[in-house]
């Protein structure tokens, strides 16, 4: 027969080594307080300020023609930047993950380069190339092509800053799955396209979707780079984030926050989609981690 | 292009996909960036030196580097606590809190900028109580630190989480059974194991903060010599059609970013080696 104290000792021995309860509580509170101050309060402020003058003023700010034009340009930019980066990301990942070649590490580093470049500098380089006093400026002017302070500039700057997103999600995933399946498919007589679409792509689909979500969030939300090249022409070259800036600088705070709340919904959508993908794509390995 | 291959392969499409990758990389990234180099080379050494050492520009470097460092330090400290709590402890709402950590990646920086300004302005939710304590945040260098902390928040948490998850509990049990206190175990066993990933997260947050523009311009107030960050000085020069001046400062900031990128690569390979050993 075991005594109560023996049982208690055994229970203690099985319990994992951890901090005293008071430390755990203090650390948890500290973590939540930090996140509350820096994440939750700002988010709440967006909606509080947006609805400050009631739902009518909120809807009016969103329905305003300039806001609509900004929304259209934001959607157009993302509709160009995301598919282009998906094609590039798939091709780049196929190259880097499935072949061993000279200069591979260099190529992978160069693909990540836009992450290291400040958004403002990303805008500057396009102004240097295509601006009125840029390298190609006189030629463009002579042929009546406008890139800077026009929609093409906004699209180019967005393409630059969103360049690595899809590739960077796909490369590690496609590297981890190796080349055995592809080689087996080849030996069974599959063509290159068949291998890619039936073997490689299905194995990488969650990574692809993840990259698309992040790329889209950045494409729609980019501010610095787009701000340099857009020229802030209302109704023409304003994206939603730039529209927020203009309204804010005109002290039209309520309207600025109303438009900002739309972009916050975009952020919620992104986070929810991200969580869903992480949950769907969880491998048995990581699920075991979760159980522990 | 098959001569580039180190190993023969039966998989098709290397030439085409390598060529396309290189072409698109050159078109969107390398060619535009080389414009920066070209502009620098065509403007002569003296104007370049004068542009990057003007007092207003030097003040902006000090603010950019100082505030980014302070923000990275704040994130380093609190990021470690957040990552630890999220991985090791169970409490109601943990998943929600965990997914919220990525908010700075998902929320457009302009939105973050105006929201933080509204809160920390002298009449804001937090600005008013802090003001009565004599602490001014918005339109001061402290405001820049707040915005950069927001922007860099996910980096330390997200780089630490997988490493904390992979820590073997047996090592901690061994340490405890040998008589170490919980604090000794943390300082001598856990912290050294986390160090490479922690430094990587810090460097990533610092690098991101250095180039940040959108969230800072609203809260900083943009006073020359006082609350003007380097990316804003670039922007201002560009608006005055001073392309040469803007380019010179951009080259300085870009060089700093590249040095950081290199440091991050070194840290990451260290981190990976450490991970392989555990």
């Amino acid at each position: 027969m075991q005594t109560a104290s023996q049982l208690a000792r055994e229970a203690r021995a099985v319990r994992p080594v951890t901090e005293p309860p008071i430390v755990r509580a203090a650390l948890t509170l500290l973590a939540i307080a930090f996140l509350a101050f820096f994440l939750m309060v700002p988010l709440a402020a967006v909606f509080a300020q947006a609805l400050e003058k009631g739902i009518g003023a909120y809807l009016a700010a969103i329905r305003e023609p300039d806001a609509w034009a900004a929304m259209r340009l934001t959607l157009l930019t993302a509709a160009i930047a995301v598919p282009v980066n998906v094609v590039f990301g798939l091709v780049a990942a196929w190259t880097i993950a499935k072949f061993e070649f000279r200069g591979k590490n260099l190529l992978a580093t160069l693909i990540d380069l836009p992450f290291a470049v400040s958004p403002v500098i990303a805008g500057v380089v396009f102004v240097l190339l295509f601006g009125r006093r840029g390298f190609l400026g006189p030629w463009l002017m002579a042929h009546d092509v406008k890139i800077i302070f026009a929609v093409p500039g906004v699209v180019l700057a967005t393409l630059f800053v969103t360049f690595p997103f899809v590739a960077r999600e796909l490369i590690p995933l496609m590297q981890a799955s190796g080349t055995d399946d592809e080689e087996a498919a080849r030996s069974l007589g599959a063509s290159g396209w068949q291998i890619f679409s039936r073997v490689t792509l299905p194995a990488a689909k969650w990574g692809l979707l993840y990259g698309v979500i992040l790329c889209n969030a950045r494409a729609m939300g980019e501010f610095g780079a787009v701000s340099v090249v857009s020229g802030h022409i209302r109704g023409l070259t304003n994206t939603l984030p730039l529209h927020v800036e203009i309204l804010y600088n005109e002290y039209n705070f309520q309207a600025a926050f109303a438009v900002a709340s739309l972009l916050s919904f975009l952020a919620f959508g992104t986070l929810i989609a991200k969580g869903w993908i992480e949950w769907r794509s969880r491998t048995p390995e990581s699920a075991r981690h979760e159980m522990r | 292009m098959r001569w580039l291959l180190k190993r023969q392969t039966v998989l098709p499409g290397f030439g085409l996909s390598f060529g396309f990758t290189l072409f698109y990389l050159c078109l969107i990234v390398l060619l535009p960036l080389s414009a920066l180099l070209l502009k620098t080379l065509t403007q002569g050494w003296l104007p370049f030196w004068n542009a990057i050492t003007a007092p207003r520009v030097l003040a902006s470097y000090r603010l950019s580097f100082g505030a980014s460092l302070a923000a990275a330090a704040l994130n380093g400290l609190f990021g470690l606590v957040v990552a630890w709590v999220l991985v090791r402890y169970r409490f109601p709402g943990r998943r929600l809190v965990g997914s919220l950590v990525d908010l700075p990646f998902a929320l457009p920086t302009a939105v973050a900028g105006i929201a933080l300004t509204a809160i920390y302005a002298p009449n804001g939710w937090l600005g008013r109580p802090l003001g009565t304590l004599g602490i001014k945040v918005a339109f001061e260098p402290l405001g820049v630190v707040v915005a950069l902390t927001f922007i860099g928040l996910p980096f330390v948490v997200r780089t630490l989480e997988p490493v904390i998850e992979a820590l073997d509990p047996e090592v901690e049990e061994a340490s405890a059974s040998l008589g170490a206190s919980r604090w000794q175990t943390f300082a001598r066993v856990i912290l050294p194991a986390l160090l490479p990933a922690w430094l990587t997260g810090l460097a990533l947050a610092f690098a991101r903060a250095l180039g940040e523009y959108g969230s800072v311009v609203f809260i900083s107030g943009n006073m020359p010599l006082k609350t003007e960050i380097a990316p804003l000085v670039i922007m201002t020069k560009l608006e005055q059609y001073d392309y040469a001046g803007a380019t010179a400062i951009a080259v300085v900031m870009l060089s700093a970013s590249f040095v950081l990128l290199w440091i991050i690569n070194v840290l990451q390979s260290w981190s990976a080696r450490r991970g392989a050993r555990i």
Side-chain angles (χ1 to χ4, degrees):
Chain A
M1 270 300 263
Q2 283 183 313
T3 63
S5 69
Q6 268 175 327
L7 273 174
R9 210 175 305 135
E10 263 183 30
R12 249 203 314 279
V14 174
R15 208 175 53 192
V17 182
T18 182
E19 293 78 39
I22 180 97
V23 176
R24 294 168 66 105
L27 287 178
T28 309
L29 277 179
L30 186 66
I32 292 176
F34 176 69
L35 296 179
F37 269 89
F38 278 94
L39 300 181
M40 296 170 202
V41 174
L43 214 48
V46 171
F47 290 95
Q49 302 267 347
L51 294 168
E52 201 186 14
K53 292 177 187 161
I55 192 90
Y58 177 81
L59 291 175
I62 291 173
R63 287 201 191 124
E64 193 229 352
D66 286 340
W68 271 108
M71 209 176 306
R72 270 200 303 276
L73 181 58
T74 292
L75 291 175
L76 172 76
T77 310
I80 298 172
V82 174
V84 168
N85 278 320
V86 164
V87 172
F88 166 74
L90 285 170
V91 175
W94 171 262
T95 312
I96 288 178
K98 302 295 173 187
F99 297 97
E100 289 298 327
F101 57 94
R102 290 177 190 84
K104 181 161 136 163
N105 286 336
L106 180 68
L107 187 64
T109 307
L110 288 177
I111 288 175
D112 270 348
L113 205 57
F115 276 149
V117 177
S118 165
V120 170
I121 297 177
V124 169
V125 296
F126 289 108
V127 174
L128 288 181
L129 276 179
F130 304 119
R132 193 144 57 95
R133 297 187 202 169
F135 291 114
L136 301 174
W139 187 86
L140 289 173
M141 207 114 82
H143 292 77
D144 205 25
V145 182
K146 264 189 93 71
I147 294 181
I148 299 303
F149 302 158
V151 174
V154 173
V155 173
L156 271 177
T158 307
L159 277 175
F160 183 100
V161 291
T162 56
F163 182 85
F165 278 91
V166 180
R168 129 148 333 180
E169 294 303 326
L170 283 175
I171 290 170
L173 204 68
M174 280 166 66
Q175 254 168 346
S177 60
T179 55
D180 292 351
D181 293 348
E182 281 83 358
E183 278 157 13
R186 184 68 176 168
S187 74
L188 293 171
S191 70
W193 174 248
Q194 282 173 322
I195 296 174
F196 178 77
S197 61
R198 301 213 194 148
V199 179
T200 310
L201 200 54
K205 66 175 180 218
W206 294 116
L208 178 64
L209 201 55
Y210 202 87
V212 166
I213 301 278
L214 296 182
C215 181
N216 179 62
R218 184 69 192 264
M220 289 192 175
E222 176 53 27
F223 180 73
V226 171
S227 178
V228 176
V229 296
S230 117
H232 299 86
I233 308 165
R234 274 190 182 216
L236 283 179
T237 64
N238 249 358
T239 60
L240 275 182
L242 297 179
H243 192 57
V244 170
E245 183 197 19
I246 288 193
L247 291 171
Y248 190 86
N249 287 343
E250 287 170 349
Y251 300 102
N252 193 351
F253 295 136
Q254 183 269 330
F257 279 101
V259 178
S261 75
L262 292 181
L263 291 166
S264 306
F265 285 125
L266 166 74
F268 291 145
T270 304
L271 290 184
I272 291 169
K274 202 166 163 287
W276 182 74
I277 294 168
E278 273 159 14
W279 176 72
R280 279 303 305 265
S281 63
R282 234 175 351 162
T283 55
E285 176 66 28
S286 58
R288 255 207 314 277
H289 264 296
E290 200 69 25
M291 296 294 287
R292 206 168 56 191
Chain B
M1 304 242 200
R2 290 193 90 84
W3 57 270
L4 271 167
L5 286 172
K6 282 194 212 155
R7 198 153 45 79
Q8 282 311 305
T9 170
V10 295
L11 297 180
F14 176 70
L16 185 66
S17 60
F18 178 81
F20 176 78
T21 305
L22 200 61
F23 169 75
Y24 186 66
L25 176 72
C26 288
L27 190 71
I28 296 292
V29 178
L30 299 184
L31 255 155
L33 278 181
S34 63
L36 214 54
L37 197 67
L38 196 62
K39 185 76 190 169
T40 310
L41 293 177
T42 53
Q43 64 168 296
W45 175 241
L46 197 66
F48 180 82
W49 180 253
N50 288 338
I52 63 171
T53 55
R56 185 175 168 188
V57 178
L58 288 179
S60 78
Y61 299 146
R62 268 196 298 276
L63 179 64
S64 271
F65 282 90
S68 300
L69 205 60
L74 267 178
N75 275 322
L77 189 66
F78 288 100
L80 178 62
V81 175
V82 170
W84 186 263
V85 166
L86 284 178
V87 174
R88 287 291 176 95
Y89 302 164
R90 293 293 173 267
F91 55 93
R94 185 182 66 100
R95 279 182 181 280
L96 185 72
V97 172
S99 56
L100 211 57
V101 168
D102 281 323
L103 184 72
F105 286 157
L107 193 71
T109 53
V111 177
I114 63 169
L116 289 170
T117 313
I119 297 167
Y120 289 101
N123 59 356
W125 290 351
L126 296 172
R128 198 195 297 269
L130 286 171
T132 56
L133 296 172
I135 305 169
K136 277 191 272 181
V137 181
F139 319 124
E140 296 286 331
L142 190 56
V144 179
V145 176
V146 167
L148 296 179
T149 307
F150 173 87
I151 282 305
L153 199 150
F155 288 101
V156 176
V157 180
R158 290 293 181 238
T159 42
L160 277 178
E161 270 181 335
V163 186
I164 296 177
E165 249 167 47
L167 284 178
D168 191 346
E170 279 174 23
V171 179
E172 288 164 54
E173 281 159 21
S175 165
S177 74
L178 292 170
S181 72
R182 188 61 190 157
W183 173 250
Q184 283 173 321
T185 304
F186 181 76
R188 306 226 188 132
V189 177
I190 297 171
L191 213 52
L194 299 182
L195 191 65
W198 191 54
L199 288 175
T200 308
L202 277 176
L204 285 169
F206 180 74
R208 175 68 210 267
L210 208 52
E212 178 55 21
Y213 173 77
S215 59
V216 178
V217 285
F218 297 100
I219 202 170
S220 72
N222 306 327
M223 278 167 285
L225 296 167
K226 196 168 165 239
T227 58
E228 207 177 36
I229 53 166
L232 183 78
V233 178
I234 298 176
M235 194 77 144
T236 312
K237 298 237 178 230
L238 213 59
E239 276 165 7
Q240 298 160 348
Y241 289 100
D242 179 7
Y243 285 9
T247 306
I249 305 164
V251 166
V252 171
M253 296 309 284
L254 200 60
S255 311
S257 299
F258 286 166
V259 171
L260 272 168
L261 189 66
W262 176 75
I263 292 174
I264 290 165
N265 273 336
V266 171
L267 283 171
Q268 267 168 344
S269 62
W270 180 31
S271 195
R273 275 201 310 277
R274 182 66 71 89
R277 224 186 306 150
I278 294 170

